Amino acid sequence: MFCSKKKSLELERIVKANDREYNEKFQYADNRIHTSKYNILTFLPINLFEQFQRVANAYFLFLLILQLIPEISSLTWFTTFVPLVLVITMTAVKDATDDYFRHKSDNQVNNRQSEVLIDSKLQNEKWMNVKVGDIIKLENNQFVAADLLLLSSSEPHGLCYVETAELDGETNLKVRHALSVTSELGTDISRLAKFDGMVVCEAPNNKLDKFMGVLSWNDSKHALDNEKIILRGCVLRNTSWCFGMVIFAGPDTKLMQNSGKTKFKRTSIDRLMNTLVLWIFGFLVCLGIILGIGNSIWESQVGDQFRTFLFWNEREKNPVFSGFLTFWSYIIILNTVVPISLYVSVEVIRLGHSYFINWDRKMYYSGKATPAEARTTTLNEELGQIEYVFSDKTGTLTQNIMTFKKCSINGRIYGEVHDNLAQKTDITKKKEPVDLPVNLRVDRTFQFFDHHLKECIKLGDPKVHEFLRLLALCHTVMSEENSAGQLVYQVQSPDEGALVTAARNFGFIFKSRTPETITIEELGTRVTYQLLAFLDFNNIRKRMSVIVRNPEGQIKLYSKGADTILFEKLHPSNEDLLTLTSDHISQEFAGEGLRTLAIAYRDLDDKYFKEWYKMLEDANTTTVERDERIAGLYEEIESDLMLLGATAVEDKLQEGVIETITNLSLANIKIWVLTGDKQETAINIGYACNMLTDDMNDVFIIAGNTAMEVREELRKAKENLFGQNRSFSNGHVVFEKKQQLELDSVVEETVTGDYALIINGHSLAHALESDVKNDLLELACMCKTVVCCRVTPLQKAQVVELVKKHRNAVTLAIGDGANDVSMIKSAHIGVGISGQEGLQAVLASDYSFAQFRYLQRLLLVHGRWSYFRMCKFLCYFFYKNFAFTLVHFWFGFFCGFSAQTVYDQWFITLFNIVYTSLPVLAMGVFDQDVSDQNSMDYPQLYKPGQLNLLFNKRKFFICMAHGIYTSSVLFFIPYGAFYSVAGEDGQHIADYQSFAVTMATSLVIVVSVQIALDTSYWTVINHVFIWGSIATYFSILFTMHSNDIFGIFPDQFPFVGNARHSLTQKCVWLVILLTTVASVMPVVALRYLKVDLFPTLSDQIRQWQKAQKKARPLRSRRPQTRRSSSRRSGYAFAHQEGYGELITSGKNMRAKNPPPTSGLEKTLYNSTSWIENLCKKTTDTVSGFSQDKTVKL
């Protein structure tokens, strides 16, 4: 919640530079941010309101009020008040702690320092004190404090470079440039202080890629667009300094506009328990009405004679009023069906599960010494019910580190390693990389394992030299030398950096460029090429070219781009080489998930080039169809190319991403990728992760620019999908019935098959409109993979909300940057990865860890176990409390409906707190049906949680029926046995106190035996708690029934001597034994038959685990397999159009070297692909346990 002043809806913003007094009349928000939920004044009312939204808390408050009325209360108010206050206090402390850390994070951000121009001099100010209209100075590597209009910078022509990772997840640099009229201000403080420009622009909004405004200054107006604006969350890079004017501050910045509000999250089990508490209360009301009516009848027919028999002098009771009071008395007595200890136990169990996550060494990342962290304790069991995972790409799935892996030159592959028998082998750490020459120009982090390429370079292979020369010339990279004399590249996209670095390490070093020349060093010889033309990249061309003149006077066109595009431009004489190179790309490179680029050149005639260049100049000056004419001229000259080969670059996935995605898919978890990167990037990563494959029936791409186009594309995709399904009769695509998660199963017809949906951000904006979003959701949910590209942070949240609302599914969002915060807040579960992009995602998350691969353990092990344990806990807890409480109902018919309790009041108080609390806690914290390894090996075990099979309304009614049966056995067997029986001494034992002790002892033993039957995984703690609870019961029983304590508190312990008297009778123990057997045997029989006749996958694996305890299972070796092949281009990986124009204009040429920056980090990535073997696992139940056959990952 933002504590800014309320103001009318802003339609446009008017800001005057260096004039706080003028700007304050508009009441613009200051730069202070608030992500916390409470403050000191609002904490108590808001937190109590949230807590009493939990129906149980309101229920117990109502019972407390009833217990304060002496006429109807047979239990003291203290028994409800203390536990209620304890639960509310514990929850409030936890919420306050969570919010304290949010305040701490806010204060850390708000107290950052920035240089602000105040009173004609630069002063250090805290971020929270920055106002709209202020002029701020930023220095290299500083975070941007607010949304700024760029005024001037240290770079020529007012350029500056920013990294937008916090906004869109991209780590490549973006260019921003100031207006020429303001860039002249430079660093002159006096001129900047006199700057009084007026900006009229759009109102605050969440659109990251759009900005419209006008700057009025010196009687002239200048249009402003997104290229003039630096947004909060960006980092200034490769720019010594810049000045900017604050346009939007604090909550009005586009970053904060895209961050969703902190929401109060509750699990589906919490919501179900709210419903069940209402049902139980309704059930209690019915029981109270029955017993109240019974009391009225008894008072009218028997009560008068009874009072006469007892010589009561009371005036005659009104039977109706007596029944009314009895109704409320029984409501109080029977309230233990849902004791408040249930909620205390739930919180303790969740806390235990959270510590297990924190302590899990298999989720500890030693590279950064980062453990997994459960940042909330209230959502653990929902980790076992996830159906949809929404993942960011950059930093989550990938490391955004490009590595040059292989290449094909003139029909030969370089980069593969062969053994002595000429068999291709995998690269391991034992392999020795190529020994590159040691000098300042070599990037020592670069590794290449094939020595043949170095040999070809030494032998002077002209094709190899031309290939590397092209990589050194055809790019948009800028170079500089740092203070140590080392060559540092400033790259606009990581893939270009990988290619230029590869050429540099093989002896073709890009040195420098001017608008007219490119200088490289070829095997130690410095060569300067004249840059004649730069044919820039765009999304349609999917290629870039440079035309250069070498020192010999030859004109050459060098081109690189998507192989599918470039192959169409080749000269017919390249047919054989084309076939060979195409096979390398599709079978070798793409099969390993590498990004491929085709490399070609053309020798140009001097006369032809001059004629062509004249036409290009004419096209550039025309105003009619300018872009079409230029594109046509590019097409003309980029023809009859000679193929050199292809490159293969790896965008390193995070370790274990492919295995994790496949495991989650086998668990029926659908993964959607929501990324700010462009379409080509997302598709390539989809293929690399095996989320997209060539075996898919179809990949639907939605890229419409209007609502009508998007609607039509969605309609065609659905028609195509259903049409293909009708045409399939071989069973690859089938209709299946899916059971929904309610008591009444809702059958929904869905299409399953290998389909994928890819949609752009601008199309998604139209698709999320009310009349189209249902079509989008229907199509997306039929697809195996969904990828949303170029989406804003707010759109990520909207997609999550769409699935939450209309699919009624449990969602999880995972990301690592500030652009993922709103998505993380919107999902049921938010997971933050503590990566390279700061801690914003972690601070907003419910769980955090360092690597994406830990997600499968979080869900398949901890999530599944938490759900399994919580469900078993709830089933048992409701059972034992129905069994405990409903004995009062049966007793009511034999005590004149007088609201007399059947047990000693101390037993009622201690039953849930002492006698049965620890065993059920031990089961809820430690129990497991199968081991953690088997949970990972058999992801199908996760499905019961998604279908909510272990605890639902049906399960609750079964537990209720079980409890009612046990309560009737507990009451009627002792009642029948004691009806006319004498003890061994000839005296009767059918007194009330002996009957109460016998029933209480039977109850404790029955529920202890029952939890022993329910426990799947025995530990020392389980044994101590279960059998120790029985021992504790008897020790307390004999203590409270002793003469000594009766002598001290005669009014509080009336059952003096009864335990000693009753439990020395053999017939009493026989009654207890009969009661226990009658209560437990039907359950044992039913469970045996169920496991024997209808075993679940969990049952089978558990049986197999028992059989394997004697013999260690053999683990089969994972076969080495290849990724699915798919030819695609990795070019334009986060690459932008327009860099060519910047280079040829010379605007980004530096007058002096900026501060040193680090080069590209290159690391070797060794990945063994075993996915095809893993995908052979089916969702069928595991068979053949008797033969010791296992399915291992």
Side-chain angles (χ1 to χ4, degrees):
M1 114 187 68
F2 299 112
C3 300
S4 56
K5 294 181 181 178
K6 299 225 173 168
K7 57 181 187 290
S8 59
L9 185 64
E10 195 174 340
L11 300 177
E12 68 174 8
R13 173 152 294 199
I14 303 172
V15 182
K16 189 173 183 180
N18 290 315
D19 194 340
R20 286 191 173 187
E21 185 178 348
Y22 176 84
N23 295 322
E24 280 176 359
K25 69 181 183 181
F26 297 104
Q27 296 184 349
Y28 295 139
D30 59 22
N31 207 36
R32 183 192 299 268
I33 63 165
H34 301 268
T35 60
S36 53
K37 292 169 63 178
Y38 317 108
N39 59 37
I40 294 176
L41 296 178
T42 62
F43 173 74
L44 201 59
I46 293 178
N47 189 260
L48 287 177
F49 175 74
E50 288 178 345
Q51 289 207 56
F52 281 105
Q53 281 185 311
R54 179 180 281 178
V55 175
N57 287 343
Y59 167 69
F60 289 121
L61 181 63
F62 174 69
L63 285 174
L64 176 61
I65 295 170
L66 290 181
Q67 285 181 287
L68 293 174
I69 304 173
E71 286 79 10
I72 62 174
S73 177
S74 53
L75 295 173
T76 58
W77 61 271
F78 200 76
T79 57
T80 301
F81 176 77
V82 173
L84 179 62
V85 171
L86 182 65
V87 169
I88 289 176
T89 303
M90 286 173 57
T91 306
V93 168
K94 180 181 68 65
D95 291 342
T97 304
D98 291 343
D99 209 56
Y100 165 75
F101 285 110
R102 293 192 196 100
H103 276 285
K104 190 175 179 181
S105 171
D106 290 345
N107 290 334
Q108 184 180 359
V109 173
N110 289 330
N111 288 311
R112 285 178 180 172
Q113 297 289 321
S114 60
E115 290 186 278
V116 182
L117 188 58
I118 301 176
D119 297 331
S120 301
K121 59 182 178 180
L122 287 172
Q123 299 179 12
N124 279 332
E125 277 281 4
K126 295 179 179 179
W127 276 23
M128 61 183 177
N129 296 328
V130 171
K131 304 291 185 182
V132 171
D134 286 353
I135 292 180
I136 296 178
K137 181 183 179 182
L138 296 174
E139 294 183 346
N140 194 37
N141 296 326
Q142 273 192 348
F143 275 95
V144 181
D147 290 355
L148 308 177
L149 168 64
L150 180 61
L151 297 178
S152 62
S153 78
S154 60
E155 304 304 293
H157 308 281
L159 293 183
C160 77
Y161 300 91
V162 292
E163 183 184 286
T164 59
E166 295 286 356
L167 296 171
D168 56 18
E170 295 184 2
T171 55
N172 56 289
L173 301 184
K174 307 288 196 311
V175 180
R176 297 291 181 262
H177 50 86
L179 291 168
S180 57
V181 292
T182 61
S183 63
E184 296 171 358
L185 297 173
T187 187
D188 189 336
I189 300 299
S190 60
R191 294 183 65 190
L192 286 165
K194 294 176 182 177
F195 176 69
D196 59 352
M198 180 87 71
V199 173
V200 179
C201 65
E202 61 191 20
N205 60 73
N206 54 47
K207 296 178 182 177
L208 295 174
D209 56 348
K210 291 184 179 179
F211 180 83
M212 294 177 61
V214 175
L215 170 65
S216 302
W217 186 46
N218 289 343
D219 299 324
S220 60
K221 293 187 177 182
H222 309 274
L224 303 176
D225 57 21
N226 205 49
E227 301 302 312
K228 312 292 188 300
I229 300 297
I230 309 177
L231 301 180
R232 180 183 181 129
C234 295
V235 181
L236 193 66
R237 299 289 192 200
N238 296 342
T239 308
S240 299
W241 52 264
C242 74
F243 284 88
M245 168 186 168
V246 178
I247 304 296
F248 301 123
D252 291 340
T253 59
K254 291 182 183 283
L255 175 65
M256 297 306 297
Q257 289 279 313
N258 273 285
S259 65
K261 292 183 179 180
T262 302
K263 296 182 179 179
F264 178 58
K265 294 183 177 181
R266 290 184 296 180
T267 67
S268 56
I269 285 183
D270 271 339
R271 293 189 292 273
L272 176 60
M273 284 172 62
N274 277 349
T275 303
L276 295 181
V277 167
L278 291 175
W279 287 8
I280 290 171
F281 185 71
F283 178 67
L284 292 187
V285 169
C286 293
L287 295 182
I289 290 173
I290 293 171
L291 296 169
I293 293 173
N295 178 264
S296 296
I297 296 172
W298 190 90
E299 283 291 341
S300 62
Q301 296 184 358
V302 183
D304 185 50
Q305 293 86 343
F306 195 72
R307 281 191 295 275
T308 303
F309 175 74
L310 293 176
F311 298 102
W312 281 9
N313 295 322
E314 293 182 10
R315 57 185 176 83
E316 186 175 345
K317 279 188 176 181
N318 184 332
V320 176
F321 184 69
S322 175
F324 175 77
L325 294 179
T326 301
F327 166 79
W328 292 110
S329 297
Y330 271 111
I331 291 294
I332 295 172
I333 290 173
L334 298 176
N335 84 84
T336 50
V337 175
V338 188
I340 200 162
S341 61
L342 169 65
Y343 290 91
V344 178
S345 301
V346 165
E347 294 301 325
V348 171
I349 289 171
R350 286 172 171 168
L351 184 64
H353 296 168
S354 298
Y355 277 113
F356 287 155
I357 293 172
N358 296 344
W359 293 338
D360 191 344
R361 292 185 178 182
K362 293 181 180 179
M363 293 172 67
Y364 175 82
Y365 183 55
S366 56
K368 292 184 179 178
T370 306
E373 181 184 6
R375 296 174 54 79
T376 181
T377 59
T378 59
L379 303 172
N380 295 323
E381 65 271 14
E382 198 140 74
L383 288 170
Q385 298 180 275
I386 302 298
E387 290 183 68
Y388 289 87
V389 169
F390 300 91
S391 175
D392 180 36
K393 181 195 72 66
T394 307
T396 303
L397 299 178
T398 69
Q399 301 180 35
N400 208 37
I401 297 175
M402 298 294 181
T403 309
F404 183 85
K405 299 291 286 186
K406 296 182 180 181
C407 60
S408 171
I409 305 176
N410 200 29
R412 178 177 178 179
I413 291 181
Y414 298 93
E416 292 179 343
V417 179
H418 296 79
D419 58 20
N420 295 332
L421 300 175
Q423 296 293 319
K424 188 170 72 172
T425 61
D426 285 322
I427 297 170
T428 66
K429 292 182 180 179
K430 295 180 181 179
K431 300 292 181 184
E432 290 297 325
V434 174
D435 185 21
L436 300 166
V438 179
N439 58 61
L440 290 175
R441 304 306 181 200
V442 172
D443 186 342
R444 300 308 303 169
T445 61
F446 178 83
Q447 289 181 308
F448 197 76
F449 290 83
D450 188 355
H451 295 261
H452 295 100
L453 183 56
K454 182 180 177 182
E455 294 169 4
C456 292
I457 295 171
K458 285 183 179 179
L459 294 173
D461 187 322
K463 293 291 186 182
V464 173
H465 281 202
E466 192 75 347
F467 182 90
L468 295 172
R469 186 177 294 115
L470 186 150
L471 296 185
L473 290 170
C474 184
H475 54 76
T476 61
V477 175
M478 301 296 294
S479 66
E480 58 192 31
E481 285 191 6
N482 60 19
S483 57
Q486 295 173 325
L487 192 62
V488 176
Y489 290 150
Q490 173 204 315
V491 298
Q492 195 261 337
S493 61
D495 60 326
E496 283 214 316
L499 296 178
V500 176
T501 301
R504 162 186 176 177
N505 283 273
F506 287 119
F508 287 75
I509 305 170
F510 167 62
K511 299 277 290 182
S512 62
R513 68 162 77 244
T514 70
E516 296 83 21
T517 64
I518 301 175
T519 301
I520 66 174
E521 186 178 302
E522 299 181 2
L523 301 177
T525 304
R526 190 181 184 94
V527 183
T528 298
Y529 290 82
Q530 184 181 355
L531 179 59
L532 303 177
F534 196 107
L535 284 58
D536 201 3
F537 160 87
N538 66 34
N539 280 324
I540 299 173
R541 286 165 39 75
K542 294 186 178 178
R543 63 188 183 277
M544 69 170 292
S545 303
V546 293
I547 302 175
V548 296
R549 188 192 302 273
N550 63 20
E552 290 78 31
Q554 297 172 318
I555 300 177
K556 288 184 175 285
L557 179 144
Y558 291 117
S559 184
K560 66 180 181 184
D563 51 295
T564 52
I565 300 294
L566 214 60
F567 285 170
E568 298 175 359
K569 308 295 180 184
L570 297 181
H571 191 276
S573 62
N574 288 267
E575 186 173 346
D576 293 338
L577 181 57
L578 168 61
T579 303
L580 198 55
T581 306
S582 180
D583 289 342
H584 291 167
I585 289 175
S586 59
Q587 296 176 17
E588 300 290 334
F589 300 161
E592 297 177 18
L594 303 177
R595 319 288 180 257
T596 58
L597 279 178
I599 304 296
Y601 75 100
R602 178 184 178 184
D603 291 317
L604 297 176
D605 178 74
D606 199 311
K607 180 180 177 183
Y608 168 73
F609 172 74
K610 288 180 179 178
E611 293 174 355
W612 177 86
Y613 194 72
K614 179 68 170 64
M615 290 188 288
L616 181 64
E617 288 180 327
D618 293 340
N620 276 317
T621 56
T622 187
T623 57
V624 180
E625 297 182 346
R626 175 178 176 271
D627 292 340
E628 290 79 1
R629 291 180 62 180
I630 292 174
L633 289 169
Y634 284 0
E635 290 281 335
E636 177 189 329
I637 202 165
E638 290 174 326
S639 60
D640 291 334
L641 301 177
M642 302 302 294
L643 183 62
L644 281 171
T647 61
V649 174
E650 179 183 48
D651 177 24
K652 294 189 64 174
L653 295 174
Q654 285 201 13
E655 184 183 345
V657 164
I658 301 174
E659 297 89 336
T660 300
I661 287 175
T662 305
N663 253 353
L664 296 181
S665 297
L666 289 173
N668 201 35
I669 296 173
K670 300 175 182 64
I671 300 178
W672 292 19
V673 176
L674 310 178
T675 176
D677 278 345
K678 56 174 55 182
Q679 183 174 306
E680 292 85 350
T681 305
I683 290 175
N684 284 329
I685 292 299
Y687 278 106
C689 298
N690 271 10
M691 296 173 65
L692 300 173
T693 67
D694 285 340
D695 299 329
M696 283 186 159
N697 302 84
D698 208 343
V699 177
F700 306 118
I701 297 179
I702 310 298
N705 291 308
T706 66
M708 288 297 295
E709 289 178 6
V710 172
R711 186 184 289 109
E712 184 64 19
E713 288 176 357
L714 290 172
R715 185 188 63 79
K716 287 181 179 178
K718 287 172 64 177
E719 285 181 0
N720 191 13
L721 187 145
F722 285 112
Q724 290 195 29
N725 274 277
R726 281 193 291 269
S727 66
F728 269 73
S729 58
N730 59 2
H732 289 300
V733 182
V734 296
F735 287 97
E736 65 175 15
K737 302 287 185 180
K738 181 182 178 182
Q739 185 174 6
Q740 294 300 305
L741 314 180
E742 300 296 335
L743 180 62
D744 299 323
S745 62
V746 179
V747 179
E748 182 184 67
E749 198 171 41
T750 58
V751 179
T752 60
D754 289 338
Y755 297 93
L757 174 68
I758 297 165
I759 183 168
N760 280 315
H762 56 82
S763 303
L764 186 63
H766 297 298
L768 290 173
E769 294 176 0
S770 58
D771 58 336
V772 186
K773 62 184 178 184
N774 289 332
D775 292 332
L776 169 68
L777 187 64
E778 184 180 356
L779 176 64
C781 291
M782 292 175 187
C783 294
K784 179 181 178 181
T785 299
V786 178
V787 180
C788 301
C789 332
R790 282 296 185 207
V791 291
T792 66
L794 191 62
Q795 283 179 327
K796 291 183 178 184
Q798 288 172 337
V799 172
V800 174
E801 290 287 353
L802 182 67
V803 175
K804 275 177 62 178
K805 182 178 179 181
H806 295 280
R807 298 298 296 178
N808 195 26
V810 182
T811 59
L812 179 146
I814 178 168
D816 71 324
N819 59 317
D820 304 313
V821 168
S822 56
M823 171 177 74
I824 286 171
K825 289 180 178 179
S826 295
H828 292 98
I829 303 286
V831 177
I833 291 184
S834 48
Q836 304 291 338
E837 299 184 20
L839 294 175
Q840 285 86 345
V842 171
L843 292 172
S845 66
D846 305 305
Y847 300 88
S848 68
F849 41 72
Q851 294 276 292
F852 180 82
R853 69 178 187 269
Y854 298 142
L855 181 62
Q856 64 171 325
R857 186 167 179 85
L858 181 70
L859 299 186
L860 302 185
V861 178
H862 292 286
R864 185 181 165 278
W865 277 354
S866 294
Y867 174 73
F868 169 78
R869 292 162 176 164
M870 186 60 71
C871 292
K872 287 190 75 170
F873 163 79
L874 291 173
C875 287
Y876 174 78
F877 208 97
F878 281 119
Y879 151 74
K880 79 177 178 68
N881 280 286
F882 271 104
F884 164 60
T885 304
L886 291 184
V887 171
H888 293 294
F889 176 75
W890 309 120
F891 185 60
F893 289 90
F894 298 88
C895 68
F897 305 98
S898 61
Q900 167 71 41
T901 56
V902 71
Y903 307 115
D904 171 18
Q905 186 160 328
W906 281 104
F907 178 80
I908 295 174
T909 304
L910 297 176
F911 177 75
N912 280 304
I913 297 175
V914 177
Y915 300 150
T916 61
S917 60
L918 293 181
V920 71
L921 279 178
M923 182 178 71
V925 172
F926 298 108
D927 203 33
Q928 50 182 264
D929 54 345
V930 299
S931 66
D932 60 337
Q933 187 58 50
N934 281 326
S935 294
M936 299 275 281
D937 286 351
Y938 303 99
Q940 301 90 336
L941 289 167
Y942 191 79
K943 293 180 182 177
Q946 296 171 321
L947 299 175
N948 211 7
L949 297 179
L950 301 186
F951 186 74
N952 49 41
K953 293 169 185 173
R954 177 176 172 272
K955 282 281 185 182
F956 168 74
F957 283 119
I958 292 174
C959 297
M960 182 177 173
H962 186 194
I964 292 173
Y965 165 76
T966 302
S967 71
S968 61
V969 169
L970 285 170
F971 179 81
F972 287 107
I973 287 182
Y975 176 79
F978 285 3
Y979 188 73
S980 57
V981 68
E984 294 173 8
D985 56 359
Q987 296 181 0
H988 70 86
I989 57 173
D991 61 279
Y992 162 70
Q993 290 189 348
S994 299
F995 182 64
V997 168
T998 304
M999 272 199 301
T1001 306
S1002 300
L1003 174 64
V1004 170
I1005 293 175
V1006 165
V1007 297
S1008 297
V1009 171
Q1010 183 64 49
I1011 199 169
L1013 292 173
D1014 286 346
T1015 301
S1016 305
Y1017 182 76
W1018 284 88
T1019 65
V1020 174
I1021 296 174
N1022 292 89
H1023 283 290
V1024 170
F1025 282 1
I1026 291 176
W1027 315 126
S1029 292
I1030 296 177
T1032 300
Y1033 164 73
F1034 283 109
S1035 62
I1036 292 176
L1037 179 70
F1038 281 104
T1039 300
M1040 290 194 302
H1041 291 198
S1042 66
N1043 295 333
D1044 295 337
I1045 200 166
F1046 175 76
I1048 301 172
F1049 304 104
D1051 294 334
Q1052 300 298 323
F1053 298 95
F1055 279 48
V1056 57
N1058 187 270
R1060 187 172 62 254
H1061 174 261
S1062 299
L1063 298 181
T1064 54
Q1065 305 281 340
K1066 292 178 182 178
C1067 60
V1068 171
W1069 283 105
L1070 287 173
V1071 170
I1072 292 172
L1073 178 63
L1074 178 62
T1075 304
T1076 303
V1077 171
S1079 298
V1080 171
M1081 283 309 295
V1083 178
V1084 174
L1086 286 172
R1087 289 188 181 179
Y1088 175 80
L1089 291 173
K1090 182 175 179 292
V1091 171
D1092 191 55
L1093 299 177
F1094 309 103
T1096 63
L1097 180 60
S1098 175
D1099 295 330
Q1100 295 186 45
I1101 294 175
R1102 195 160 52 246
Q1103 291 296 326
W1104 171 79
Q1105 279 183 175
K1106 291 177 182 177
Q1108 291 298 309
K1109 283 184 179 179
K1110 296 180 181 179
R1112 187 177 179 179
L1114 295 176
R1115 287 182 176 270
S1116 58
R1117 292 182 64 189
R1118 296 175 180 173
Q1120 301 284 334
T1121 57
R1122 300 171 56 79
R1123 293 177 181 170
S1124 59
S1125 171
S1126 174
R1127 178 189 294 184
R1128 58 197 180 277
S1129 167
Y1131 192 53
F1133 198 86
H1135 199 70
Q1136 284 183 301
E1137 182 178 3
Y1139 249 68
E1141 184 180 347
L1142 271 176
I1143 287 171
T1144 53
S1145 69
K1147 287 185 177 181
N1148 62 341
M1149 303 304 171
R1150 298 170 183 269
K1152 59 180 180 179
N1153 286 337
T1157 56
S1158 59
L1160 286 176
E1161 180 185 359
K1162 298 283 180 290
T1163 57
L1164 178 68
Y1165 182 71
N1166 175 28
S1167 172
T1168 56
S1169 178
W1170 48 273
I1171 204 69
E1172 292 177 6
N1173 181 55
L1174 179 60
C1175 288
K1176 290 178 183 176
K1177 293 172 67 176
T1178 64
T1179 55
D1180 299 330
T1181 56
V1182 180
S1183 60
F1185 288 112
S1186 58
Q1187 288 81 18
D1188 291 343
K1189 293 179 182 178
T1190 64
V1191 180
K1192 289 291 179 183
L1193 293 186

